[in-house]
Amino acid sequence: MTVTIVDGIAPSIWDAAHDVDARRPRSRQTQLGASDTVCGRRAAYILHGTTPTDHPDKRAAILGTFIHHGLLESARTEYRWLVERSVQDHLIRGHVDVVQLDAATAARLPARHRPAIPADVLTVEDVKTKSTYLWDRVLRYGATAAELRQVQLYAGALSEVGFEDIPGQRYLARLGPLNIARIRFRFINRDSGAEHVQEIDFDPQRAAEAQWWVERVRETGSPEEMPRDFNGPGLDAICDYCPFRSLCWPGTAPGVPEQTALIRNDADREQALIDYVNGHELFSKGKRIKEFARKKLDRSPEGIYGPNKLSWGGGNDEEKDDVEAMVDLHEIAGIPVPMTPDANRMVKNLKDAGLPIPRRKTGKKTPAVINIAPA
Ligand code: SF4
């Protein structure tokens, strides 16, 4: 056990939290759980038993786990919903966050196991905690494709097999395949506590597509056969925090983007240039549309208009440092007024006097600037 001392005073509680997290089944598994299906390459590393190469900062994820656990436990004790129950089929094994039984299915269980609040139709729920940074995206777009895939896998296993037949939940396994009708996502804002619910009908076809995705991963001879689903470190946060980052994006010199390894020949280079030009055109077009709309909206009152809510910020008195008052305060307090030469002022003075501006090399290089023109 390693213990870090915070501010030279007391042991960091994060060391304890990391040790607890390392003992969680999810942290030690080599079998694919539905939550590992966020990226095909990452799922393949896990399935092939690859040892993680990177140990990113997990504090935000651990906080999410604590909140998640507390909320699910409350749903279990207060609503008697089925929480963190095991499911297993030929493809995945894991724990489904919540199953809210409908009254008809619940009637097949002993009375003490029936939900205090049954669903109108049998519902599989996934609880996700999100930061404020991602909240707008959650409200606008709902669950991501990877999140949908995860819950479809669990719902698919429940509808084909039912709950896993293990001690502690044999009474649930005896229900057999379940008549799943709905999938629910419950998003919780980690910073404000705001709650947002998204519901969709369960579609066996969507579950079959998610299962086909896992089958593709299982058929690979090595993880590298599976394409990367993200653009890599520095571009997608999931890669920055991926335990297989160094394996997935190996071998570049310090300061060189990992993505440069994807250019192996001139054909790759040609395609990347085409992508760059296409991306630039989309960006320019989007910028024009956005700027035009912004000008048009300049005098619009706040309110809800169709799918969007308009509000205005800013409009406060602008402030800047009062240099004269600061000099006075320095003199009153007996603090020496800094006399560092003002480079901007000197450049202006020299320019006004028609004199050359002296320059010297700093020993550093300016950043590379890409220029692309029609060939
Ligand atoms: S680094 Fe990114 S692309 Fe590679 S396995 Fe991890 S999440 Fe997937």
Side-chain angles (χ1 to χ4, degrees), residues 77-366:
T77 57
E78 304 309 302
Y79 298 163
R80 294 208 301 272
W81 288 354
L82 300 170
V83 159
E84 295 274 23
R85 295 301 184 154
S86 292
V87 288
Q88 181 173 23
D89 64 6
H90 63 296
L91 290 173
I92 56 135
R93 178 167 197 233
H95 298 90
V96 59
D97 279 358
V98 175
V99 176
Q100 188 185 5
L101 295 179
D102 60 313
T105 311
R108 295 164 55 201
L109 291 176
R112 67 182 186 285
H113 291 307
R114 293 177 196 157
I117 303 180
D120 54 341
V121 291
L122 211 160
T123 302
V124 173
E125 175 171 324
D126 204 7
V127 176
K128 299 277 180 212
T129 62
K130 299 280 177 182
S131 65
T132 296
Y133 172 65
L134 291 173
W135 196 245
D136 264 5
R137 216 169 74 189
V138 165
L139 296 183
R140 192 172 290 272
Y141 303 114
T144 63
E147 288 166 345
L148 283 164
R149 184 161 52 228
Q150 291 168 20
V151 79
Q152 294 285 8
L153 285 168
Y154 283 138
L158 283 168
S159 75
E160 287 175 13
V161 181
F163 288 102
E164 191 180 7
D165 192 6
I166 53 171
Q169 59 172 53
R170 295 213 192 278
Y171 68 100
L172 294 173
R174 279 196 284 276
L175 291 172
L178 296 172
N179 185 23
I180 308 292
R182 182 191 290 146
I183 283 173
R184 178 191 298 141
F185 285 93
R186 187 184 305 273
F187 297 99
I188 304 292
N189 185 315
R190 238 179 259 162
D191 307 305
S192 69
E195 186 177 20
H196 173 67
V197 169
Q198 175 193 3
E199 291 188 335
I200 53 173
D201 291 341
F202 173 64
D203 178 355
Q205 177 62 33
R206 296 274 99 81
E209 285 168 16
Q211 289 166 346
W212 177 78
W213 187 94
V214 177
E215 273 163 11
R216 263 177 61 223
V217 179
R218 286 168 63 106
E219 283 164 6
T220 54
S222 76
E224 284 71 27
E225 285 176 27
M226 205 59 206
R228 302 173 180 93
D229 287 340
F230 294 92
N231 287 342
L235 296 178
D236 281 318
I238 188 160
C239 297
D240 292 330
Y241 292 96
C242 179
F244 303 103
R245 169 186 167 157
S246 309
L247 265 180
C248 186
W249 300 93
T252 51
V256 177
E258 282 95 336
Q259 290 81 356
T260 52
L262 300 180
I263 302 282
R264 289 164 301 248
N265 51 41
D266 280 354
D268 292 340
R269 218 159 271 122
E270 180 182 332
Q271 186 55 52
L273 284 166
I274 290 169
D275 291 345
Y276 189 97
V277 170
N278 285 344
H280 181 72
E281 281 172 8
L282 287 171
F283 173 77
S284 305
K285 194 174 162 199
K287 187 164 176 277
R288 273 178 62 78
I289 293 171
K290 195 174 146 191
E291 286 175 350
F292 187 37
R294 173 65 184 83
K295 293 273 186 206
K296 288 193 285 185
L297 287 166
D298 203 67
R299 288 287 172 264
S300 294
E302 295 187 345
I304 293 175
Y305 303 94
N308 294 300
K309 180 179 168 189
L310 172 67
S311 60
W312 295 101
N316 305 318
D317 289 336
E318 196 179 285
E319 293 190 349
K320 64 176 190 177
D321 294 338
D322 185 339
V323 178
E324 275 180 33
M326 284 198 286
V327 170
D328 289 348
L329 265 180
H330 274 66
E331 287 174 357
I332 292 166
I335 306 169
V337 178
M339 300 301 284
T340 310
D342 183 338
N344 290 339
R345 173 71 64 84
M346 288 194 288
V347 167
K348 184 175 181 310
N349 290 344
L350 291 173
K351 276 187 181 164
D352 289 348
L355 295 169
I357 314 296
R359 308 278 288 171
R360 68 176 174 81
K361 299 256 187 271
T362 64
K364 294 183 191 160
K365 299 284 183 201
T366 56

